[in-house]
Structure formats: structure tokens, C-alpha cells
């Protein structure tokens, strides 16, 4: 199989979970990506982050294909610096989600579509414009609490709910809520049509719960060595951890050699 594209997750795949927006990948990964792009390979990113939270990666890796952002709520073209696809939560759905989250003692973060860096913490009783939110996030909670929040939210219809690892030592997880049309897997299907390639020609690389649907859409499913069991179970290939430059290993094995 001749692969034409590689799409990698960010946290726990290219960089450490919860790393800052200016963080870049290791020099080994940067070098491997540049070589792959030089051979005509599309390289892109699929992440729960917004564009302003992956600035260092986009610039250092020379990403040359549309980016899957906000767990699929938006697709961004780094060449034109414009969004190619956007899907937001309606005010009605936001109110439903907030009603569920109020039952938990968690901090709720809202991300508006106008400015990704203008995310703010929800405070009950204050007035907000709740229409056209990109996502609702509960950040850095325990695995047990994350699973409870996740199970409660998945009972609602018309939304997408995902979990992801957002910290190590101790393990922390985050829960993301986006519109029903927003998902990494759905966004990947959109990109295959945009780039005129088949999903069988794509290598997907990930490590966390929110990567499962996206990886299942790829021709080669790669799990990082630090992946959660659910991702390891479906993988065609298990790469070294992000700390061991696993993405560079994948490119060397399946693209450069």
C-alpha cells in the first residue's frame, strides 16, 4: 500500500498532554515530517484543540493539509488560514449540557467561535451568549469522574461527547462536548474528499479515547505506546511513546523506507 497522507493527534502523540500552544514536536519528529512532506505526503493534525492552541506545531511541522480541530467541530486550511468547515452547538443544546454538568462539582469551560483564546469559565447566574459555541469542556478531572460525566452526557441526543487523556502523574482526563456533526471520524471523511484520496491511503496516529472513531476510518491505524487500552486494541501497529518520538518511527517505517 502506498500511503498518501498521515494524520496525527496532538496530546500524547506529537507532544505531552496539556503542553502549551507554542510547544513544538521533537527535532526527530520535525525532521521526519519534513522529509515525508518533501516526498509529496500530506501531513496534518486531528486534535481536540483549537487553532491558536497548536501554533507551534503547525509552524514547525510545515503542515500542508487541512487540520481537524476541536474534535471535528472545525476544519482549517493552514494555507489560506480560513475555516473550510464549522459546526457549532445550538443554545438549546448548550442549556441541556449545562443542566447535566451542574450536578457535578466541576469547572465548566465554554469556547466561543469568535476567538478561540477567549474561552471562559461558566458561572451559574451570569448571562452569556450561548449560541454558536464551538464546544463545552470539563478539563483535567480524575478518570472516575470523567467516566461518570461522560456517561451522563451521552444520554443526551444531538451532541458528540468524547474523553481524552489530558495529564499524567497522576492521570487526568477531559470531557469535550461538540455538535452532533462534529467528530474526528466525520471530519476525516470530509478531508478524503477534499484531498481526492481514499481512507485506505491514510495513516492515522493517536493515543486516546477521542481518537478511536478517527483511527477506524484510516487505512493504517497506529497507536502510540502510551495509548489507552481501547486504542491499543484496534491498532494495526503500535509505535513507541510520544516521549520516544513514536511519530518519527511511523514515518520512517511506512513512508521514508
Amino acid at each position: 500500500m502506498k500511503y498518501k497522507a498521515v494524520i496525527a493527534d496532538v496530546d500524547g502523540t506529537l507532544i505531552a498532554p496539556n503542553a502549551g500552544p507554542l510547544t513544538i514536536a521533537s527535532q526527530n519528529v520535525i525532521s521526519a515530517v519534513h522529509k515525508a512532506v518533501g516526498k509529496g505526503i500530506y501531513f496534518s493534525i486531528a486534535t481536540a484543540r483549537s487553532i491558536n492552541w497548536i501554533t507551534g506545531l503547525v509552524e514547525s511541522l510545515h503542515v500542508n493539509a487541512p487540520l481537524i480541530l476541536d474534535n471535528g467541530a472545525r476544519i482549517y486550511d493552514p494555507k489560506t488560514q480560513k475555516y473550510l468547515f464549522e459546526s457549532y452547538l445550538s443554545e438549546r443544546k448548550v442549556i441541556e449540557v449545562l443542566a447535566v454538568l451542574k450536578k457535578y462539582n466541576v469547572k465548566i469551560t465554554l469556547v466561543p467561535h469568535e476567538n478561540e483564546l477567549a474561552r471562559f469559565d461558566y458561572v451559574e447566574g451570569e448571562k452569556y451568549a450561548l449560541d454558536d459555541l464551538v464546544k463545552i469542556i470539563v478539563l483535567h478531572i480524575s478518570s472516575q469522574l470523567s467516566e461518570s460525566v461522560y456517561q451522563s452526557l451521552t444520554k443526551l441526543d444531538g451532541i458528540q461527547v468524547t474523553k481524552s487523556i489530558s495529564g499524567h502523574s497522576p492521570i487526568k482526563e477531559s470531557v469535550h462536548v461538540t455538535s452532533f456533526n462534529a467528530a474526528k471520524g466525520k471530519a476525516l471523511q470530509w478531508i478524503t474528499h477534499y484531498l481526492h484520496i481514499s481512507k485506505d491511503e491514510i495513516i492515522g496516529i493517536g493515543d486516546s479515547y477521542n481518537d478511536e472513531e478517527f483511527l477506524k476510518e484510516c487505512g493504517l491505524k497506529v497507536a502510540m505506546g502510551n495509548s489507552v487500552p481501547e486504542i491499543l486494541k484496534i491498532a494495526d501497529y503500535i509505535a513507541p511513546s510520544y516521549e520516544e518520538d513514536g511519530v518519527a518511527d511511523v514515518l520512517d517505517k511506512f513512508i521514508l523506507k
Side-chain angles (χ1 to χ4, degrees):
M1 168 62 68
K2 183 178 180 181
Y3 297 106
K4 295 182 178 179
V6 178
I7 303 180
D9 172 52
V10 171
D11 292 80
T13 299
L14 286 167
I15 56 178
N18 201 33
L22 298 180
T23 304
I24 66 174
S26 72
Q27 288 305 311
N28 284 342
V29 170
I30 291 173
S31 176
V33 170
H34 289 181
K35 289 177 182 177
V37 170
K39 289 173 65 71
I41 298 296
Y42 290 115
F43 185 87
S44 191
I45 286 169
T47 180
R49 297 185 181 214
S50 302
I51 185 61
N52 287 339
W53 292 84
I54 54 170
T55 307
L57 287 173
V58 173
E59 293 179 354
S60 64
L61 293 173
H62 300 169
V63 174
N64 64 344
L67 302 156
I68 299 173
L69 304 173
D70 304 299
N71 273 330
R74 295 192 281 199
I75 299 174
Y76 181 83
D77 185 352
K79 296 179 180 178
T80 62
Q81 298 184 354
K82 293 181 179 180
Y83 290 107
L84 303 174
F85 170 85
E86 300 174 83
S87 181
Y88 303 125
L89 287 160
S90 68
E91 182 174 10
R92 181 170 64 88
K93 289 301 174 185
V94 171
I95 291 172
E96 290 180 13
V97 171
L98 292 176
V100 172
L101 292 178
K102 286 176 188 177
K103 302 173 184 178
Y104 297 91
N105 185 26
V106 294
K107 183 172 71 173
I108 304 168
T109 301
L110 307 181
V111 181
H113 72 275
E114 298 92 345
N115 182 351
E116 297 90 342
L117 291 177
R119 59 173 60 187
F120 58 92
D121 295 335
Y122 174 77
V123 178
E124 188 174 2
E126 293 192 11
K127 293 184 178 181
Y128 302 102
L130 298 179
D131 58 321
D132 292 342
L133 288 181
V134 177
K135 58 188 173 184
I136 302 171
I137 322 172
V138 178
L139 292 166
H140 315 318
I141 57 178
S142 69
S143 298
Q144 183 177 5
L145 181 55
S146 170
E147 180 63 15
S148 180
V149 171
Y150 174 82
Q151 292 297 334
S152 294
L153 289 173
T154 53
K155 294 176 183 177
L156 300 177
D157 61 1
I159 60 172
Q160 293 281 353
V161 187
T162 55
K163 294 193 304 174
S164 62
I165 302 295
S166 57
H168 288 293
S169 300
I171 292 291
K172 293 293 183 182
E173 296 185 359
S174 296
V175 179
H176 298 247
V177 180
T178 53
S179 73
F180 179 74
N181 293 322
K184 283 186 179 183
K186 291 182 179 180
L188 183 76
Q189 294 174 9
W190 191 98
I191 286 178
T192 61
H193 293 294
Y194 184 84
L195 296 178
H196 303 292
I197 60 178
S198 73
K199 64 181 183 180
D200 291 335
E201 296 172 315
I202 298 177
I203 298 175
I205 313 174
D207 73 293
S208 198
Y209 311 106
N210 63 330
D211 296 320
E212 183 171 357
E213 180 190 1
F214 145 67
L215 290 177
K216 285 180 176 178
E217 292 292 329
C218 294
L220 183 70
K221 300 177 285 293
V222 177
M224 302 296 287
N226 50 276
S227 296
V228 298
E230 289 85 342
I231 300 302
L232 293 171
K233 184 178 179 179
I234 66 169
D236 300 312
Y237 176 71
I238 299 175
S241 71
Y242 72 90
E243 296 173 305
E244 301 171 290
D245 299 337
V247 172
D249 169 82
V250 174
L251 293 175
D252 287 338
K253 186 176 183 66
F254 296 101
I255 301 295
L256 302 179
K257 293 182 179 179

